[in-house]
Amino acid sequence: MSDQRRARLRLEISREAARLFWEQGVAATSGDQIAQAVGLSTRTIWRHFRSKESCAEPIVMQGVVTLLSVLRSWPHQVSLEDHLVAELTRLGREGAPVDLADEFLAMKMIRLADTEPALRTAWLMACDETERELRAVVCDRLQRPSDDLEARLYAASAAAVVRVLDEEIGAAVLAGSDLTAIEDVAALSRRYAHAIRTATGGAVGDPVEREDPETTAPGAD
């Protein structure tokens, strides 16, 4: 089985597991029920996941996929606010990399993680992946090596912002709160950007300039 096909199958299993966890609780859901919902054998489920709770991991990761895809494409010469507004608005028109149904399932699992330690593990694993991705973004923008302590601290701070805001927004959506502020893409983008700026002491957020190699080469006028 190719890696791409394996990833698709894991996500399909994760969707059904997440639906069952939300509808009837983690304790009341068995590996057999998950297998039946997907139309696979229980043995196949255990070939792809180490436990029933770990089945939630792929769908939980879907909760941060869109934001990470946007941050990876952040141009050096653009501020975080402008980039998030432009890209999230574009994705709203053209379609985000994650289906809305998967986003809602991810929100449900993140919310359920408050009372289910095993699901909390899945969410924290997604947060750890977010921090790793952000470290690469931060180190690139600040021209620091990947093991630079200060850059790692900035990435950890930015990842904490993503975790807290995702949890808050997910809880509000599932509680049926007024979603006006959340549906305003520009306002929401600026909220994330402002929080990341604050958490990193202003180190992450501004445009950055890179020296032109041709003008800095030895002998260049």
Side-chain angles (χ1 to χ4, degrees):
M1 183 181 294
S2 68
D3 289 343
Q4 188 176 24
R5 184 181 174 191
R6 183 178 294 107
R8 285 200 302 266
L9 180 57
R10 279 174 52 83
L11 183 56
E12 183 180 350
I13 294 169
S14 190
R15 287 187 184 112
E16 296 304 326
R19 290 189 183 102
L20 289 170
F21 290 159
W22 183 255
E23 290 170 3
Q24 60 189 38
V26 177
T29 300
S30 67
D32 290 339
Q33 289 175 319
I34 296 171
Q36 184 177 8
V38 187
L40 298 171
S41 69
T42 305
R43 180 178 296 181
T44 299
I45 300 297
W46 302 140
R47 280 206 299 267
H48 290 277
F49 294 96
R50 65 188 179 278
S51 66
K52 68 177 183 181
E53 293 86 357
S54 68
C55 291
E57 290 170 7
I59 202 68
V60 167
M61 190 63 199
Q62 295 294 83
V64 295
V65 163
T66 299
L67 183 60
L68 290 180
S69 71
V70 168
L71 290 173
R72 289 190 204 104
S73 65
W74 182 12
H76 295 144
Q77 70 276 14
V78 178
S79 72
L80 181 56
E81 288 86 351
D82 289 347
H83 179 62
L84 288 181
V85 171
E87 285 301 293
L88 292 178
T89 299
R90 180 184 65 80
L91 289 174
R93 293 194 308 265
E94 300 175 3
V98 175
D99 290 338
L100 186 59
D102 283 351
E103 290 271 13
F104 272 101
L105 273 177
M107 289 179 187
K108 288 177 178 179
M109 291 304 96
I110 294 167
R111 189 74 181 90
L112 199 57
D114 286 344
T115 55
E116 294 285 351
L119 294 188
R120 189 69 179 173
T121 299
W123 174 224
L124 293 178
M125 287 176 64
C127 294
D128 181 69
E129 180 61 26
T130 300
E131 183 179 329
R132 292 173 186 273
E133 295 272 359
L134 285 172
R135 186 194 305 179
V137 172
V138 170
C139 288
D140 175 64
R141 294 187 72 81
L142 302 183
Q143 294 185 289
R144 305 281 184 89
S146 61
D147 60 350
D148 181 80
L149 178 58
E150 194 170 43
R152 291 179 61 190
L153 290 171
Y154 291 148
S157 299
V161 166
V162 174
R163 176 180 61 81
V164 172
L165 287 181
D166 278 3
E167 290 176 351
E168 180 186 83
I169 291 168
V173 169
L174 296 175
S177 302
D178 181 6
L179 304 182
T180 303
I182 296 173
E183 293 170 346
D184 185 337
V185 174
L188 186 62
S189 299
R190 294 189 182 96
R191 184 181 184 189
Y192 272 91
H194 176 72
I196 288 174
R197 279 181 182 276
T198 301
T200 61
V204 178
D206 287 337
V208 295
E209 295 184 3
R210 295 295 174 85
E211 293 181 341
D212 185 343
E214 294 183 2
T215 63
T216 58
D221 293 330

